Structures are given as C-alpha cells and as structure tokens.
Amino acid sequence: MARDLREQVRDDGFAFVPGTDLRALLPLAPSDWEAFAASWADLDLDTHLPDGHRYRRRRHATLSARAGDTAARREPHQPHYQGLEYNKLVGGIERWFEPIHQHILEGPTFRGVLSFCLDFFGALRPDTAWHIECHQFRIEARADAEGLPTPEGIHRDGVDYVLVMLVGRANIASGTTTVHLPDGTTLGSFTLAAPFDSALVDDNRVMHGVTAVHPEDPARAAFRDVLVVTLRATR
C-alpha cells in the first residue's frame, strides 16, 4: 500500500489517503489516541491573522532528522516563517506560537505519524536530512463567521513534502481539501471526514487549499482539527 501511495505522489504530486488505510501503515497505540486528540482543546488563538480572523487556534514544534532516521529530535522552540511568495496574508514575518506539549510529541500516536512521514517521504528523497515543522490546527466556525482552514487561499507551504491529517471534526460542513497545478488547474479534491484521513503533498509540484467550514447546527460548537507535518530538505 505504501508503495502505491509513493507512486501516486511521485507521478501526480499528491495522494489522498482514507484513514483506515493510513492507520494500517502506522505503528499505533490505540490507548494513546484519546489523549492525543484531546490536546486540540488546548490550543491558543492565532493572533497573527488580520483583525476579524479569530477562528484559528494552533501550537507548533520544530524537529530535525538525519537521512535514514525513523525518529526525529526536537529542536529549540523557534518561530514559523514563510516568505511572502508563499503566504501573501501573513508571510514575511516571524510568527511565534505556543509549543506543542512535550507529552504529545513523545506519545505513541505522534511518534507513529512522524515515523511514517520519515519513511514515506524519505524513500522519495533518499540520503536527505530534514527540517520538520509540526502544527496543531483547530478551525472554529460560527453562524456569523465561517472558518477558513487556509486563509491564505490556494498555496504552497515553501517546503518539500506535506502531510495533512484529520484528527477530528464536530458539527461542521464542507472543509474540502483541493490540490492544484501552479496555474490553478484543479487536480483533485477530498474531504477529510474521519480520523486519520490524510493528504500527502509534494509541495514543490502542486498547490493546495481547503474550503471554508460552516456549522451544521448554529447553536453548537463547530470545529475542524488537523495535524500538519512539513518536511524541508536541509541537504
């Protein structure tokens, strides 16, 4: 299965993976999942977005791995940076976010996902060392304000590879992930609807975005939780 997915990413620049398929590839400890998913309830508001954009919460961590590693090392906490060519909304500045909790980074679920990323993307770029950034995102939606999972629009992240994995969604409609050629041509779309549903993206070749989310029941809390892992080659 992993070989087929690699061929998709190699040939097409992306692959969408149902959660049941991804779980089969991960060395998971089911008992850890509850604590892992629950940590999304402890994210701080992203205050770097322009006024009026008060729907995104996040935490961030930076790691590194040598070629062939199956585990990564946490680096000292540092800002997230994207150039304006990748993020016209809030690019060109250092953005500091609260760190991902250490017990989440050390837990079996996170370590399993990261091990998968190193193995999967490492096979596409052998003998490569990686700068890795991990982001916990919660996008909230209200009746009077839709949530934008990608407020910067259809974009590249300025890295080599990206994993976008759904952790959970509650009381929301839409939130469809789309993949595009640099000229904007749509290559595919997939709604991350169940835990572990994922998109695997070659960021050098394609762009991606996510449609806005809306509450199904305006009287209840509505949110979409995802883990994003990016890998950038350092040599």
Side-chain angles (χ1 to χ4, degrees), residues 134-185:
C134 304
H135 309 260
Q136 292 179 294
F137 286 109
R138 168 166 285 189
I139 303 299
E140 300 171 328
R142 304 188 304 274
D144 61 343
E146 63 185 6
L148 302 178
T150 53
E152 62 271 46
I154 297 169
H155 66 286
R156 289 177 54 217
D157 286 340
V159 297
D160 290 293
Y161 297 109
V162 182
L163 164 80
V164 182
M165 187 188 85
L166 185 77
V167 174
R169 49 188 285 157
N171 187 36
I172 60 167
S174 193
T176 298
T177 299
T178 59
V179 176
H180 308 261
L181 289 174
D183 65 6
T185 300

Side-chain angles (χ1 to χ4, degrees), residues 9-138:
V9 173
R10 184 180 290 114
D11 294 344
D12 302 329
F14 73 100
F16 294 127
V17 190
T20 51
D21 291 348
L22 185 66
R23 280 202 305 270
L25 299 172
L26 298 178
L28 293 176
S31 60
D32 179 64
W33 172 257
E34 185 175 344
F36 177 79
S39 70
W40 265 256
D42 185 31
L43 307 185
D44 286 355
L45 191 68
D46 183 347
T47 58
H48 293 284
L49 294 176
D51 288 343
H53 293 251
R54 292 293 181 265
Y55 48 76
R56 181 160 77 178
R57 298 179 180 276
R58 67 193 294 178
R59 285 182 179 268
H60 171 251
T62 302
L63 304 94
S64 64
R66 296 181 294 265
D69 281 354
T70 59
R73 295 162 298 284
R74 186 168 192 169
E75 296 294 332
H77 195 52
Q78 54 195 267
H80 175 54
Y81 179 86
Q82 291 173 297
L84 284 168
E85 67 270 33
Y86 300 115
N87 191 329
K88 291 181 172 57
L89 184 66
V90 287
I93 60 172
E94 292 187 343
R95 288 182 285 161
W96 287 91
F97 303 104
E98 288 299 308
I100 297 176
H101 290 302
Q102 187 67 24
H103 72 274
I104 297 300
L105 294 177
E106 293 177 349
T109 301
F110 181 85
R111 288 190 286 110
V113 172
L114 191 57
S115 177
F116 166 79
C117 289
L118 291 172
D119 176 72
F120 184 88
F121 295 122
L124 295 171
R125 289 280 298 268
D127 303 319
T128 297
W130 301 108
H131 171 89
I132 304 163
E133 295 193 50
C134 304
H135 309 260
Q136 292 179 294
F137 286 109
R138 168 166 285 189

Side-chain angles (χ1 to χ4, degrees), residues 189-234:
S189 63
F190 179 72
T191 300
L192 307 182
F196 294 103
D197 282 357
S198 297
L200 306 169
V201 177
D202 182 338
D203 195 58
N204 288 307
R205 295 174 54 194
V206 299
M207 306 173 73
H208 63 280
V210 185
T211 61
V213 295
H214 312 271
E216 294 178 334
D217 179 354
R220 295 192 294 119
F223 56 85
R224 176 181 186 266
D225 293 347
V226 299
L227 173 69
V228 174
V229 179
T230 67
L231 291 84
R232 176 173 55 81
T234 57

